[in-house]
Structure formats: C-alpha cells, structure tokens
Amino acid sequence: MVDALGVAVVGFGWMGRVHTQAYARVAHHFPGLPLRPELVTVAEEVPGRAEEAAAQFGFASTTRDWRDVAADPRVRAVSVTAPNFLHREIGVAMAEAGKHIWIEKPVGLTAEDARAVADAVVKAGVQGAVGFNYRNAPAVEAARELIASGGIGRVTHARVRLFSDYAAHPEGALTWRYERERGGSGVLGDLASHGADLARFLLGDIASLAADTAVFLPERARPAGATAGHSRATGGELGAVENEDYVNCLLRFTSGARGVLEACRVSVGEQNNYGFEVHGTEGAVFWDFRRMNELGVSRGTGYQDQPVSTVYVGPGDGEFGAFQPGAANAMGYDDLKVIEAYRFLRSVAEGVPYGATLADAVRSATVLDAMARSAEDRAWVTVDAPV
C-alpha cells in the first residue's frame, strides 16, 4: 500500500528545481518506498516564477507567500529552498504547523538559527532533513566505512577542499549572497558548511580550530531586477561585498587527528573542485566530486612507495544499486538529491531519522561560528559542544 504525501516547495530558484525533480524521480529509484510525494503547491515571491514551475512540474497550486504553505492542510512535508536569511523563520513556522521539513544548508545564518529550527522540529514531533548532499555519494559512504573499520589504520591527518568559480567573475551581481545580514558568512555557509559536515561524517567531531578568511572581490554591481543563481550585472551602482570569499582552517579532531579545510568561491579555473584526502598510519583514501564514483585507496604494509589503486563503487556501496546495475556506471549530482529525498521520505514514513538531520546542521553551524570567531580573533578557538 502506497500512501500519498502532499509536498510543497518554498523558493523556486535552482535548488527548488532540484528538490522538485528529486520528488518526481524518487519512486522510480526506490519503488519500495511506502510514500508517494504529490506536488501540492510552490511558493515563490518573484512574479511568474511559481506559475512557470507549476506548468513545468505539475504543482496543483501556486502562491507568492510561504505562509500560505504553512496554513495549507494538504501539505504534510515542505522543502525549504529559499535564501539563507529566511531559513529560520520558515523552518520554525513549518515545524510549528506540523509539517515535516527538508531544508537546505546552511540552516539560517548562525548556529543559533539552526538550533531554533532543530528545537522546533523536536517539539513538533516532525522529521527534519538537511541538504548535505555530498555525504550521500556512495563513494563517500564507502570511504567512511573503510576509515571506521581501520582499513587505513589510525587516521593521522586529512584535507577537505571546496573550490569553485561561481563568484569569480567581477561582474557577478551583488545579490543577497554577498550581504552579511541576508547571506551570513559567505563562503563559510555556502561551501565550508559542506566541508564541516564531510569532515565530521568521516572523522568525527572537531575539538578546536584556527581559521583565516579573506574577501578578494570587495565590490560588485547591484542587479537591476530579480536574479536567480549567480547572475551578472553591469553598469549598476557598486556596493561592498560584506562576507567572505575564502576560508582556510586548521582542524583538531577529538580523535587526535589533524585536518585542513579550505573553501573558496572565486577560484578562477576551478569548477566544483570538491573532495578530500584522508591519511592513516597504514594507508590513505582520496575522493574527488568530479570523479564522484571513484575512490583512490592505498592499503597495506608497504608504507614507503605504497601504491594507490582506483576503486569504482558499485551496488554494494550506499544507494548505488538504486541507480546503476554495476560498478563504474556513472551517477551524478541530481542523483544525490534523489537519495536525500528518499531518506527524508523514509524518515517521515517510519518516524525514524535517516540521512543528515537538523542535529547535523547544528554541528556544522557550530563549526562555522567557531571559524568566524577564530578569523576575527586571529586565534585558536574551541568548538562549542552541541546543546
């Protein structure tokens, strides 16, 4: 027996589209899921955008006010893909209205914001999932199992990198992303939040850190109208970029391992260069998002001159088998969001959390807050334990 679950999407930029496509595909890849999402309504304040979404994807209704979604009895689950500064208000309101929420990272602008949404979810007794999609890659899950099993010995040090050029063009429009009040901590929230989650997912909690940040493109032109994604603007009034283009952070894990997390949104020549290298006393494991279905693995007792082998993930790794029948068949970015949708809907069906939760969002945000404090104080800081 498959039950219908009314879902809504709040905010229909690129990520709202990705969530919608994941809802449309999830039953194809996970036919045993006891819930079938039905697209009830889409909320988007930009004129005409919600109507376009409804025409393309089949939402039953549209609205320009997300509050209508909270009041809609047809809606039982909501994707929150609006800009960062709205996450806390919308997330808390949806939870208080009894809606399960799948919310994009970062959940608000600070750890306090993320904690407010997490508390509202717990109090309401609903499920909450967070868009840390890179941890859903089967190769990343395989790497985690390898590390946890002692396959590379005791972890000594690691590096997590997230380099992109989406903000590298000097004509990139001065949107909300570059404002402290609405975009928060810049590349920390946008990319380093993924890095903090990956570091914790693979290696456990971070005890302390030292960070340095920079703004490399200090001014941008204001856009003339509504924007989507990373639009360009020329000839408009110049305004200051208020948040970070770059962060470099030294990490000390509670396990005693050391790490480096580096993220940049203005890296010319880098297109989604995301990945990690984890080194242990008996080996190492390497992952590059651009070769998402491969791992570089070094294991054995050779130590010096020990070779690295390329391992292709397959149906036994993570959710790979729901997409491809054999190893070395490619999966892509959107597939990771289908996995996210599946785990969110399974959480709703079973009342037990699967995948990244609001607790993970709080932990990531706590690390980001510590990075910001460290960069301001130019000192090592302790990462606060989650409350």
Side-chain angles (χ1 to χ4, degrees):
M1 180 68 179
V2 177
D3 294 328
L5 181 78
V7 301
V9 176
V10 175
F12 208 81
W14 171 65
M15 189 52 67
R17 180 179 296 271
V18 172
H19 276 231
T20 302
Q21 291 170 168
Y23 284 131
R25 292 178 55 198
V26 68
H28 302 161
H29 295 280
F30 299 96
L33 187 66
L35 290 177
R36 188 66 53 87
E38 291 188 353
L39 301 176
V40 171
T41 190
V42 54
E44 171 56 63
E45 65 177 10
V46 176
R49 191 178 287 174
E51 289 74 18
E52 291 175 4
Q56 182 174 1
F57 294 102
F59 287 96
S61 60
T62 66
T63 180
R64 292 182 63 181
D65 190 342
W66 61 262
R67 295 168 186 81
D68 294 337
V69 175
D72 193 333
R74 300 172 299 168
V75 175
R76 294 174 55 198
V78 180
S79 281
V80 181
T81 55
N84 300 350
F85 65 96
L86 295 172
H87 284 189
R88 176 174 180 166
E89 182 182 11
I90 296 174
V92 169
M94 294 303 171
E96 289 178 346
K99 319 293 189 187
H100 306 283
I101 60 172
W102 175 14
I103 187 168
E104 275 304 314
K105 44 57 55 188
V107 181
L109 305 182
T110 63
E112 181 183 353
D113 286 349
R115 193 171 292 113
V117 180
D119 289 347
V121 163
V122 171
K123 185 176 181 180
V126 296
Q127 295 297 315
V130 180
F132 289 129
N133 43 270
Y134 299 109
R135 64 154 63 189
N136 298 327
V140 173
E141 296 188 308
R144 186 187 194 215
E145 291 182 7
L146 177 66
I147 294 165
S149 70
I152 60 171
R154 175 177 54 84
V155 173
T156 54
H157 62 102
R159 182 169 76 110
V160 180
R161 68 185 186 284
L162 298 107
F163 299 144
S164 185
D165 63 356
Y166 65 79
H169 202 291
E171 294 178 0
L174 187 69
T175 66
W176 60 267
R177 290 183 180 277
Y178 304 102
E179 299 175 6
R180 182 72 64 184
E181 185 176 349
R182 298 196 296 166
S185 55
V187 77
L188 274 71
D190 208 16
L191 292 181
S193 57
H194 281 299
D197 182 68
L198 278 175
R200 283 191 56 255
F201 186 69
L202 294 167
L203 304 176
D205 284 331
I206 298 165
S208 60
L209 56 80
D212 183 36
T213 62
V215 178
F216 296 135
L217 293 177
E219 289 187 323
R220 296 179 182 272
R222 300 186 186 279
T227 61
H230 306 291
S231 304
R232 295 183 188 177
T234 57
E237 177 189 359
L238 292 179
V241 172
E242 299 174 349
N243 53 27
E244 300 83 353
D245 287 330
Y246 171 84
V247 61
N248 182 34
C249 187
L250 300 177
L251 307 172
R252 292 175 179 166
F253 293 87
T254 56
S255 66
R258 299 300 197 263
V260 175
L261 192 162
E262 191 175 13
C264 185
R265 65 189 181 188
V266 296
S267 297
V268 175
E270 299 282 12
Q271 295 86 41
N272 299 326
N273 181 0
Y274 308 154
F276 56 76
E277 302 95 40
V278 180
H279 297 267
T281 54
E282 298 175 9
V285 60
F286 311 89
W287 180 71
D288 187 326
F289 168 66
R290 298 165 300 179
R291 303 178 71 90
M292 192 177 84
N293 305 292
E294 302 176 15
L295 284 177
V297 179
S298 179
R299 300 179 64 185
T301 55
Y303 302 106
Q304 186 178 2
D305 299 326
Q306 185 164 287
V308 177
S309 300
T310 297
V311 176
Y312 298 100
V313 294
D317 299 304
E319 306 293 352
F320 187 95
F323 297 86
Q324 299 293 350
N329 285 291
M331 291 175 58
Y333 175 88
D334 282 10
D335 296 330
L336 303 184
K337 303 306 279 191
V338 175
I339 293 171
E340 237 172 70
Y342 163 66
R343 290 175 175 171
F344 171 51
L345 295 171
R346 185 180 177 189
S347 299
V348 172
E350 300 181 17
V352 177
Y354 292 94
T357 67
L358 267 301
D360 294 308
V362 172
R363 289 181 174 88
S364 174
T366 300
V367 172
L368 301 185
D369 282 3
M371 288 183 188
R373 292 201 311 274
S374 174
E376 183 177 357
D377 297 343
R378 299 178 179 271
W380 280 88
V381 301
T382 299
V383 178
D384 296 334
V387 178

mmCIF file of all heavy atoms in Angstrom, residues 45 82 269 381:
data_model
loop_
_atom_site.group_PDB
_atom_site.id
_atom_site.type_symbol
_atom_site.label_atom_id
_atom_site.label_comp_id
_atom_site.label_asym_id
_atom_site.label_seq_id
_atom_site.Cartn_x
_atom_site.Cartn_y
_atom_site.Cartn_z
ATOM 1 N N GLU A 45 8.236 34.336 -4.393
ATOM 2 C CA GLU A 45 7.795 35.730 -4.418
ATOM 3 C C GLU A 45 8.090 36.436 -5.736
ATOM 4 O O GLU A 45 7.482 37.462 -6.041
ATOM 5 C CB GLU A 45 8.443 36.498 -3.264
ATOM 6 C CG GLU A 45 9.946 36.622 -3.356
ATOM 7 C CD GLU A 45 10.510 37.463 -2.220
ATOM 8 O OE1 GLU A 45 9.765 37.769 -1.277
ATOM 9 O OE2 GLU A 45 11.695 37.813 -2.300
ATOM 10 N N ALA A 82 14.508 28.516 0.057
ATOM 11 C CA ALA A 82 14.565 29.976 -0.039
ATOM 12 C C ALA A 82 15.957 30.457 0.378
ATOM 13 O O ALA A 82 16.777 29.677 0.873
ATOM 14 C CB ALA A 82 13.489 30.581 0.862
ATOM 15 N N GLY A 269 39.462 29.012 -12.684
ATOM 16 C CA GLY A 269 39.998 27.743 -13.159
ATOM 17 C C GLY A 269 39.527 26.533 -12.379
ATOM 18 O O GLY A 269 39.861 25.404 -12.735
ATOM 19 N N VAL A 381 40.419 28.523 18.561
ATOM 20 C CA VAL A 381 39.223 28.544 19.403
ATOM 21 C C VAL A 381 38.697 27.127 19.576
ATOM 22 O O VAL A 381 38.905 26.252 18.727
ATOM 23 C CB VAL A 381 38.103 29.440 18.791
ATOM 24 C CG1 VAL A 381 38.589 30.863 18.626
ATOM 25 C CG2 VAL A 381 37.621 28.869 17.489
#
